[in-house]
Amino acid sequence: MTPSAAATATAASTALLPSRSTSIPAAEASASTLATAPPYPVATGSLRGGFATAAGGAAAPIERTVAVTARTETLPAAERRIRTSSQQPSAQRNFLRPSRQERLERQAERPLACPPMNEDVRNIVLGVLATGVSASFGWLGRTYGWRRRLRRKQAFFGLPGGSECLLVVNRESGGDNVVHRYDVFALLELSALVKDCGAQARILPHDRAHQGFGDRTEFCVGGPYSNRRMAAHLTTLLPGVRMNVDVEPPELRGSVTIGGERYLMEKGLAEYVLLARLTAGEDHRPVFLFCGQRAITNQAATRYLARHHEALSRRHRDGSFVLLLKVVNSEAYGPDVVELVADVTRAARTAPPASPASGSPPPNRRRRPDRMGPDGVKTSPS
């Protein structure tokens, strides 16, 4: 049976009962790779109503006939093959695929995962961001300021990070290997400054510091009567300063003379101390001197330096200076009340003029020649 016959039989069998309908076309379709195309019904007749004239002249009714012919047009075998979904025309695929505009509309209609940000939430988020940014800038500014102050402090004291300095201390008079307690407090003040600069301190007694100055920063504490190194520094670096170390007379003991002016000590009421920063050259480390009339004045000078080193650094930069300080009523206030008397840098570093020796004639006066007396004896002019 050909495909056209199978199609005709299938169309004719649709009018019969299911039990008598033909199954050959289905068997043929199952055994063949070609699919039987359904028939294309075509109307080939029309319904005619009315009466026709008979041969004898009598009108006879014309039977209404309907002729329906099923015409099956067979398609080529290549077109009648079963088409898969991948072989559908591109127009149909494009019709089934949504356009970009439709996808955007569908996406806009979908509910959001989170609700939209309202005005309050936006203000909170902006406030948190502004706080974080301002805190970061504040931290950076404080860090920069702290590092800058540290560099200035290290340059003023000559103590770069990891360096070493000397703490030369005197000994209390009348004791062996004994340091006065106020001098110990002064060393503690200086040790704190050294630690802040990131340096290390080495403590030496005054009679064991047999080395020069300028290679390392030095802090020398004590007067010349109890500190030999302080006496050497005054003679070498401050020739214009004289401190009386004699016991007698008592009222002149410990007096300081600078540039011809003498400063007497009133024990417990008014006492004086020299605070000096001296350098031997540009590439040398500084030497700090704390030369007081009493041990408590040494501690007062170290505390004054610890409190005012920033102002002293701005005023004197990296140069040398010599300050005369006055400790007021140390018996009541201790080393805390300190007054700046004067900046005696020029007078302290200038040697006083040499005084003429006793019994010698004045340098500008000419001596008259000796005269011979009447008895032949030389007489000096009056």
Side-chain angles (χ1 to χ4, degrees):
M1 180 179 292
T2 61
S4 60
T8 304
T10 302
S13 63
T14 55
L16 300 178
L17 297 176
S19 59
R20 295 187 178 184
S21 60
T22 179
S23 60
I24 296 178
E28 182 181 3
S30 61
S32 175
T33 58
L34 300 177
T36 303
Y40 293 91
V42 178
T44 58
S46 61
L47 298 177
R48 294 180 180 179
F51 296 90
T53 304
I62 301 176
E63 296 180 359
R64 183 175 299 174
T65 59
V66 178
V68 178
T69 305
R71 183 174 60 87
T72 305
E73 297 179 359
T74 59
L75 298 175
E79 296 180 2
R80 289 188 292 114
R81 294 178 181 176
I82 300 177
R83 297 173 179 174
T84 60
S85 61
S86 62
Q87 297 175 347
Q88 294 179 356
S90 59
Q92 185 177 2
R93 289 198 300 268
N94 294 336
F95 177 76
L96 297 178
R97 181 183 303 172
S99 62
R100 183 174 179 275
Q101 184 67 21
E102 294 178 353
R103 291 196 302 270
L104 294 177
E105 293 178 357
R106 294 177 183 177
Q107 186 175 1
E109 293 177 356
R110 294 177 184 176
L112 298 177
C114 59
M117 184 181 299
N118 54 17
E119 191 68 22
D120 297 337
V121 177
R122 185 183 298 107
N123 293 337
I124 293 175
V125 172
L126 293 178
V128 172
L129 293 178
T131 303
V133 171
S134 60
S136 301
F137 278 107
W139 179 80
L140 292 175
R142 293 188 61 182
T143 303
Y144 174 76
W146 174 79
R147 291 183 180 274
R148 186 178 180 182
R149 289 192 300 269
L150 178 61
R151 288 192 296 268
R152 289 182 176 179
K153 189 174 184 179
Q154 291 176 345
F156 176 75
F157 288 105
L159 296 174
S163 60
E164 186 181 12
C165 66
L166 295 179
L167 299 181
V168 181
V169 63
N170 60 350
R171 293 179 178 177
E172 186 177 5
S173 59
D176 188 14
N177 296 331
V178 178
V179 180
H180 199 281
R181 64 189 184 99
Y182 288 115
D183 292 332
V184 175
F185 296 155
L187 294 179
L188 294 177
E189 298 276 355
L190 297 175
S191 299
L193 292 177
V194 173
K195 184 178 180 181
D196 292 341
C197 295
Q200 299 177 358
R202 181 184 177 187
I203 301 177
L204 290 177
H206 68 99
D207 52 354
R208 296 183 183 179
H210 303 292
Q211 53 186 304
F213 58 90
D215 296 335
R216 290 177 292 183
T217 301
E218 178 182 344
F219 299 91
C220 191
V221 179
Y225 45 85
S226 60
N227 191 328
R228 297 177 184 176
R229 193 168 179 86
M230 177 64 72
H233 287 327
L234 292 180
T235 304
T236 305
L237 302 177
L238 300 177
V241 177
R242 292 287 184 268
M243 179 171 283
N244 187 14
V245 295
D246 297 333
V247 179
E248 298 295 337
E251 61 272 7
L252 297 180
R253 183 181 180 182
S255 62
V256 181
T257 303
I258 304 174
E261 188 172 357
R262 179 174 294 177
Y263 300 90
L264 300 178
M265 176 183 64
E266 299 178 11
K267 188 175 180 180
L269 298 177
E271 299 155 333
Y272 297 91
V273 57
L274 284 176
L275 171 61
R277 180 187 187 272
L278 306 173
T279 55
E282 295 181 357
D283 298 334
H284 293 76
R285 301 287 178 84
V287 178
F288 290 87
L289 304 181
F290 307 91
C291 180
Q293 295 175 337
R294 293 181 60 200
I296 193 172
T297 59
N298 299 331
Q299 182 189 0
T302 56
R303 184 167 297 182
Y304 183 88
L305 178 64
R307 292 177 178 178
H308 302 87
H309 67 86
E310 294 184 358
L312 295 175
S313 175
R314 289 192 298 265
R315 183 182 306 171
H316 302 283
R317 301 293 179 180
D318 296 335
S320 301
F321 62 86
V322 182
L323 304 180
L324 180 63
L325 305 178
K326 180 181 179 181
V327 182
V328 179
N329 201 353
S330 60
E331 291 184 356
Y333 305 125
D336 292 333
V337 181
V338 179
E339 296 179 358
L340 176 61
V341 178
D343 186 348
V344 294
T345 304
R346 180 174 299 180
R349 303 193 70 178
T350 303
S355 59
S358 60
S360 62
N364 296 332
R365 185 177 178 180
R366 299 178 63 181
R367 184 177 181 180
R368 297 179 182 179
D370 297 337
R371 296 179 181 181
M372 298 295 293
D375 53 358
V377 180
K378 294 182 179 181
T379 59
S380 301
S382 56

